[in-house]
Structure formats: structure tokens, C-alpha cells
Amino acid sequence: RKEQELDSKDAIILHQFSRPNNGVPSLSPFCLKMETYLRMADLPYQNYFDGKLSPQGKMPWIEYNHKKVSGTEFIIDFLEEKLGVSLNKHLGPHERAVSRAVTKMVEEHFYWTLAYCQWVENLHETQKMVSLFGPFSDLLKWILCHLTKGIVKREMYGHGIGRFSEEEMYTLMEKDMRTLAGLLGDKKYIMGPNVSTVDATVFGHLAQAMWTLPGTRPERLIKGELINLAMYCERIRRKFWPEWHHDDDNTLYESEESSEASKTYSPLQDFSFYSRTETFDEEGNSISQTPDTDYTGHSLFDSDVDMDDYRDHEQCK
């Protein structure tokens, strides 16, 4: 297929993998991280699902004024320099150091155990989520997923973590998740009451355990003993992804404001231009939208998902 000509003048073009068919924005923690960051920073962007990797072989990557940037860390640095945005202005030197240390733990360690669970142990379920169309879609999905499985296993072995047994890898995964749960505590976000860049990173990865790994050990852990991580994921999903609805939502996370009327969600944005503070209906008419309300006007403030709800639930057990 002839490639579509993109005009990236003064527009952020986000290249990423296609949306999976289970309602989750991405099976890639880094793609979900990048798109969540753009929403947190309130930067309008346009998705482009061409499947083409960056010149460095990376996904996601962006184009801005015909400049191509790959690697989520470099993309964020680039946008901060060009557009003068920063989610970390409220952080002091110590907090910035902690934030970077957490980011590296998640991206260089926790990521690999998630990849193993997603593309090796739970490959059959992951294959169902991959979105491909056409007369040979099932065969192509099987080939794609098994090729990915081989790549993941090879890269994990090169990294070193893949040389451990499955039980040892899951032990490392659990330690990372418990570290995140302990760091979060009863705070709204990782670094305190305000969102920061590290939250996009942590959410992008924890969301995989929360919504793409049914019946696995990380899902049981995040929805069980480490319930504060699940509530953290819900908090971010509701605030920055109001159109993302999951059929298996747990009523434990619902606020008193929730009702059937408030669960009117729009489909996830694909090729259309997206801005968190302003969007458009199907006829192209502008719809005003504040960052902390959904399309029905219901509040999406952090207090909607509070630790007190969980404490009350636990006392009733």
C-alpha cells in the first residue's frame, strides 16, 4: 500500500502499533506510556498506525515539523524543549532522582517480566487481542505472535533476566510490583498529589497487568493484595482516558457518582486529531471538555477513586 503523505507542521504525529481488539489502547507499555503522557501534558496529537518502525527500529516514535524522534525518554525531552511543557516542574531534585530511578526499574526490569508473561506464557490470550483483518488474519496473527515470542525470549536471554527459571522471573516481577505498591502507598500519584512523568511510565506498564493478562499471576496480584495499584490505574484511566471503557470493570473501583448514564463512552481515538481539552463529534462540531470531566459532565477527579472505599470494603469481609 502506498504510504500516506504526512504533514507534521506544528502537529505531533504519534506512530504506534494498532489498537488491540479488547478495548485497551495498546499492548505495548511504551506506546501506552507515550500516548498517556501526551494526554497528561494536554498536547494535541494525531495517531498514525502505519506499523512502520523508526529509523532506530523503535516504536513508538513521533514526527514534529518533519523532525523524527524515537525512544519515549528522548521524545519527552524533545517536546519539553520545543513546546515548553513539563509534568515535573513541581518536583525537587530528590524527587526527580527518585522518579528517574523508578522509571528505570520499571522500563529496564519490570518490563521484561511483563513481556515474558504476555508473549510467552500467556501467548494464546495475547493472540486473541491482536487486531488484524483479512482472509488470512488468523494465520497472520499466529505467525506474528510466535515470531514475537521468539524475539522476546532471545532478547530476554541477552538481557540476562531470561536465563532464570520462570518461577525466579515471577519472583522478580512480584518484588517490583510490591516496590511500586509501597512507594505509592495511599497517595494519588507516585510522587504525591500531582501527576508527573513517572506516572505515565508506571501506568503504561501496570495497565498491561490490569487489563491484558487475564488469569495470570500479575493480574491476581494487582487486583488482590496490591489493590492500591489497581485503584491507581483506575484513577489515571478515568481522568485521562474517559472514552476507554472495559467490560470487566470491578464495582469496587466505582464511585457513588457512577451510573448507567455516566457510562456512555466514545470509541478510542484512532486516526482523528485528539486533544484532551477539546474534541469533536462525528459531524465535526466542537465539544468543550474540561480535563477533569468526561463527555457526560461527570467528575473524573482523583477523589472519585479513594483508598477509603477499599478500607470500607475490607472491613466488610
Side-chain angles (χ1 to χ4, degrees):
R1 188 183 67 175
K2 185 177 180 180
E3 291 188 12
Q4 178 180 340
E5 185 70 23
L6 289 178
D7 181 10
S8 64
K9 179 176 174 56
D10 296 328
I12 301 171
I13 309 297
L14 176 62
H15 296 258
Q16 61 170 313
F17 297 115
S18 299
R19 301 282 197 214
N21 57 23
N22 67 331
V24 176
S26 182
L27 294 176
S28 165
F30 293 97
C31 289
L32 183 53
K33 166 194 174 179
M34 195 64 249
E35 191 168 2
T36 301
Y37 169 84
L38 292 171
R39 291 174 177 231
M40 287 178 171
D42 202 13
L43 295 175
Y45 65 94
Q46 182 174 348
N47 279 314
Y48 197 63
F49 304 110
D50 56 352
K52 183 179 180 182
L53 300 178
S54 72
Q56 295 82 11
K58 292 284 190 178
M59 189 74 91
W61 56 287
I62 68 162
E63 292 181 82
Y64 182 78
N65 288 339
H66 304 289
K67 171 74 173 178
K68 299 178 180 180
V69 187
S70 66
T72 56
E73 184 172 355
F74 292 116
I75 292 173
I76 292 172
D77 290 344
F78 173 82
L79 294 176
E80 288 183 348
E81 179 183 351
K82 291 294 182 181
L83 303 179
V85 299
S86 177
L87 296 179
N88 298 333
K89 290 180 179 179
H90 61 286
L91 300 182
H94 175 74
E95 292 172 313
R96 289 173 185 262
V98 171
S99 177
R100 179 165 177 78
V102 172
T103 297
K104 294 301 107 180
M105 180 195 74
V106 170
E107 295 185 344
E108 305 297 339
H109 195 264
F110 181 51
Y111 162 75
W112 290 108
T113 57
L114 278 177
Y116 175 83
C117 189
Q118 192 171 44
W119 294 103
V120 179
E121 187 197 19
N122 207 45
L123 182 65
H124 180 69
E125 291 297 325
T126 301
Q127 184 176 324
K128 296 178 184 178
M129 302 176 194
V130 174
S131 180
L132 286 177
F133 302 97
F136 303 105
S137 59
D138 290 340
L139 176 61
L140 291 175
K141 283 199 293 185
W142 187 92
I143 294 174
L144 173 64
C145 289
H146 281 78
L147 284 174
T148 304
K149 174 182 177 180
I151 292 172
V152 167
K153 291 181 71 175
R154 185 176 68 248
E155 292 188 351
M156 288 183 69
Y157 190 85
H159 176 279
I161 197 170
R163 306 186 187 210
F164 297 113
S165 68
E166 180 178 293
E167 186 61 34
E168 288 171 328
M169 282 190 283
Y170 278 119
T171 296
L172 296 175
M173 169 186 279
E174 183 172 335
K175 286 183 177 181
D176 288 343
M177 293 181 71
R178 290 187 183 280
T179 298
L180 291 173
L183 182 62
L184 176 64
D186 59 0
K187 301 193 300 293
K188 290 182 178 179
Y189 300 110
I190 296 295
M191 302 309 298
N194 299 313
V195 71
S196 58
T197 302
V198 69
D199 291 298
T201 302
V202 174
F203 174 74
H205 288 73
L206 287 180
Q208 307 304 317
M210 184 81 174
W211 290 295
T212 73
L213 298 172
T216 62
R217 292 169 67 171
E219 188 204 46
R220 293 195 299 269
L221 195 59
I222 195 173
K223 292 183 178 180
E225 188 177 349
L226 306 182
I227 194 69
N228 66 327
L229 294 181
M231 300 179 78
Y232 167 79
C233 288
E234 278 290 339
R235 191 174 297 133
I236 292 179
R237 187 185 75 161
R238 292 184 183 189
K239 181 163 184 170
F240 299 104
W241 291 89
E243 76 278 30
W244 170 8
H245 174 59
H246 197 268
D247 293 335
D248 297 328
D249 284 347
N250 192 318
T251 55
L252 172 61
Y253 312 129
E254 297 293 339
S255 66
E256 293 181 358
E257 294 180 356
S258 297
S259 64
E260 290 301 318
S262 69
K263 292 182 180 179
T264 303
Y265 296 85
S266 301
L268 288 174
Q269 302 292 326
D270 284 343
F271 290 93
S272 56
F273 196 67
Y274 181 86
S275 173
R276 193 164 64 85
T277 53
E278 183 173 350
T279 189
F280 301 89
D281 61 18
E282 294 180 356
E283 288 73 35
N285 301 316
S286 177
I287 303 174
S288 63
Q289 176 193 4
T290 62
D292 293 304
T293 58
D294 64 13
Y295 296 104
T296 65
H298 286 79
S299 173
L300 290 167
F301 277 111
D302 302 323
S303 57
D304 288 349
V305 185
D306 201 285
M307 287 299 294
D308 290 337
D309 298 332
Y310 174 63
R311 294 191 186 100
D312 293 341
H313 174 80
E314 287 295 297
Q315 290 174 1
C316 292
K317 286 186 177 180

